């Protein structure tokens, strides 16, 4: 801990002397002044202890400062490392928790050259690769998101174009139907008008016949009446036959306007055919698809621990 206590030599303090500490032995969990440091380096029990400067010790993350050098349970130095439990153990631990463990090795075989080990290089490579991968992924996802926003804008325009094309098509369809209606009406109008003229003519002829026959019947002689009757009977029969023939041929049929209901599918087909001919792409659906990544994730071989 970065308190002033840590800057005082623990050995000297026990002798009521205040000396500033320059190094710390994490194994002894004590700070030493220059003089006590020399003693610590020479004493048989501690000469293999690795000390670090107070300044460097304070730079270490808290969890590293707190790493135990001795077994918290038995208060003995760690001497072995158990691969199965993945933790260091003291001589007492060996006879308790690790009696069945086979992969126990002297701790110093792991710690001796830890900083120069290939495991350390591997870990550094893995961390570096992870950083690179994460950076690439963040960059890629951000770019994709930005691109998706632009794609959305483009698709909105395409959807609008589709709607406008449909509107144009419906406008054209309306104009086309109105045109057909008008042409059909004019044709039938002319047909009925001509028929009316023809029938009016026939009616006036028959009317003339009626008038003449009425006069003949009332004032003419028997012979004259007979002759006119023969003539008019022939004409009236012919007129009647003509009318019957016209009737039978459907000339007096009632005419109605009939709309053929449009089949929506055929409208669509017709529509897409028309538009495809114009080289336009029309949207009928909007969906999403995912493409393969355009970057690689680097993965090192498994950590050998
Ligand atoms: Zn001291
Ligand atoms: Zn020590
Ligand atoms: Zn222990
Ligand atoms: Zn074990």
């Amino acid at each position: 801990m970065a308190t002033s206590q840590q800057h005082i030599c623990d050995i000297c303090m026990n002798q009521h002397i205040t000396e500033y500490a320059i190094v710390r032995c994490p194994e002894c969990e004590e700070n030493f002044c220059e003089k006590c440091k020399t003693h610590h380096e020479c004493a048989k029990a501690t000469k293999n202890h690795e000390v670090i400067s107070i300044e460097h010790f304070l730079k270490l993350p808290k969890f590293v400062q707190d790493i135990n050098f001795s077994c918290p349970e038995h208060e003995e130095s760690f001497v072995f490392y158990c691969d199965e439990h993945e933790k260091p153990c003291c001589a007492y631990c060996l006879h308790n928790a690790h009696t069945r463990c086979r992969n126990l090795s002297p701790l110093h075989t792991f710690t001796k050259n830890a900083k120069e080990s290939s495991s350390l290089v591997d870990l550094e490579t893995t961390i570096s690769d992870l950083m690179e991968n994460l950076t690439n992924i963040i960059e890629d996802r951000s770019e994709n998101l930005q691109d998706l926003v632009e794609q959305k804008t483009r698709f909105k325009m395409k959807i609008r174009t589709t709607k406008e094309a449909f509107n144009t098509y419906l406008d054209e369809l309306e104009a086309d139907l109105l045109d057909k209606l008008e042409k059909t009406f004019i044709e039938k109008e002319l047909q009925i008008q001509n028929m009316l003229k023809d029938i009016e003519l026939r009616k006036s002829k028959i009317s003339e016949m009626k008038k003449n026959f009425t006069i003949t019947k009332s004032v003419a002689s028997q012979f004259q009446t007979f002759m006119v009757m023969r003539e008019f009977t022939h004409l009236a029969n012919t007129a009647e036959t003509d009318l019957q023939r016209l009737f039978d041929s459907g000339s007096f049929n009632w005419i109605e306007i009939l709309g053929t209901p449009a089949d929506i599918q055929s409208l669509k087909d017709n529509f897409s055919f028309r538009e495809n001919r114009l080289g336009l792409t029309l949207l009928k659906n909007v969906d999403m698809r995912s493409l393969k990544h355009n970057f690689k994730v680097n993965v090192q071989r498994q950590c050998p621990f």
Side-chain angles (χ1 to χ4, degrees):
M1 296 290 273
T3 62
S4 57
Q5 279 286 310
Q6 279 185 316
H7 295 80
I8 306 295
C9 173
D10 290 311
I11 306 298
C12 292
M13 194 174 68
N14 288 342
Q15 299 162 65
H16 309 292
I17 302 165
T18 303
E19 278 289 344
Y20 285 105
I22 53 162
V23 294
R24 177 175 177 83
C25 175
E27 205 162 341
C28 297
E29 294 179 356
E30 279 178 323
N31 300 328
F32 302 118
C33 66
E34 185 67 55
K35 195 185 76 186
C36 298
K37 172 183 168 253
T38 309
H39 180 74
H40 177 264
E41 280 167 2
C42 301
K44 195 178 175 184
T46 59
K47 65 180 179 187
N48 289 326
H49 289 186
E50 202 179 351
V51 298
I52 54 173
S53 73
I54 294 287
E55 190 193 348
H56 286 174
F57 179 77
L58 294 175
K59 278 184 187 168
L60 290 173
K62 176 80 168 69
F63 78 93
V64 180
Q65 288 183 6
D66 291 346
I67 290 174
N68 284 321
F69 276 70
S70 53
C71 172
E73 198 182 330
H74 306 106
E75 291 180 354
E76 282 290 324
S77 295
F78 288 129
V79 281
F80 289 96
Y81 185 84
C82 174
D83 250 359
E84 279 148 70
H85 287 91
E86 291 187 335
K87 60 182 188 182
C89 47
C90 76
Y92 289 99
C93 292
L94 271 185
H95 301 293
N96 297 313
H98 305 276
T99 47
R100 289 168 189 274
C101 299
R102 295 183 179 278
N103 289 319
L104 285 151
S105 312
L107 188 59
H108 74 92
T109 59
F110 288 101
T111 60
K112 197 169 54 183
N113 294 313
K115 288 191 183 184
E116 290 80 34
S117 67
S118 61
S119 304
L120 181 134
V121 176
D122 285 345
L123 177 60
E124 275 180 335
T125 310
T126 304
I127 290 173
S128 157
D129 284 348
L130 272 172
M131 282 299 289
E132 194 185 327
N133 288 336
L134 292 170
T135 305
N136 286 343
I137 289 167
I138 288 170
E139 195 180 316
D140 180 76
R141 293 296 80 210
S142 306
E143 277 174 13
N144 194 178
L145 182 60
Q146 197 186 339
D147 186 55
L148 211 56
V149 171
E150 286 164 17
Q151 285 185 52
K152 186 182 152 197
T153 309
R154 286 203 297 277
F155 268 79
K156 270 187 176 176
M157 283 167 68
K158 278 189 181 178
I159 289 168
R160 177 167 288 274
T161 309
T162 303
K163 190 198 97 174
E164 282 166 1
F166 264 105
N167 281 348
T168 305
Y169 171 69
L170 290 175
D171 286 346
E172 285 173 7
L173 180 69
E174 183 192 30
D176 186 46
L177 288 173
L178 285 173
D179 187 50
K180 278 180 183 159
L181 177 67
E182 194 58 29
K183 277 180 183 158
T184 310
F185 174 78
I186 287 170
E187 188 192 321
K188 294 299 170 190
E189 183 188 39
L190 192 67
Q191 199 180 319
I192 292 178
Q193 279 171 346
N194 288 339
M195 181 56 72
L196 275 172
K197 275 183 204 162
D198 179 66
I199 300 297
E200 291 288 358
L201 193 65
R202 288 168 199 265
K203 191 185 171 188
S204 68
K205 280 181 185 168
I206 299 300
S207 176
E208 185 69 19
M209 185 196 284
K210 186 187 175 190
K211 197 176 84 187
N212 290 336
F213 187 65
T214 305
I215 292 170
T216 306
K217 194 178 80 179
S218 61
V219 297
S221 68
Q222 291 291 353
F223 177 71
Q224 283 172 323
T225 303
F226 169 74
M227 289 303 284
V228 168
M229 194 174 67
R230 263 195 60 203
E231 173 69 14
F232 280 9
T233 299
H234 177 68
L235 287 174
N237 285 346
T238 306
E240 214 171 38
T241 309
D242 285 350
L243 275 186
Q244 186 63 49
R245 204 179 61 240
L246 282 171
F247 182 83
D248 289 345
S249 70
S251 295
F252 309 137
N253 281 358
W254 192 260
I255 294 171
E256 266 185 354
I257 295 171
L258 201 65
T260 310
D263 170 14
I264 294 297
Q265 189 54 49
S266 80
L267 270 184
K268 282 181 185 166
D269 292 346
N270 182 30
F271 180 62
S272 56
F273 170 68
R274 279 158 41 88
E275 296 305 328
N276 281 341
R277 252 190 356 198
L278 296 174
L280 280 176
T281 309
L282 293 165
L283 300 178
K284 65 169 186 176
N285 194 16
V286 176
D287 207 348
M288 295 277 171
R289 64 172 176 173
S290 49
L291 299 168
K292 261 168 67 182
H293 296 113
N294 56 9
F295 66 92
K296 260 173 65 186
V297 172
N298 296 320
V299 180
Q300 290 294 311
R301 62 194 169 85
Q302 281 294 305
C303 184
F305 292 138

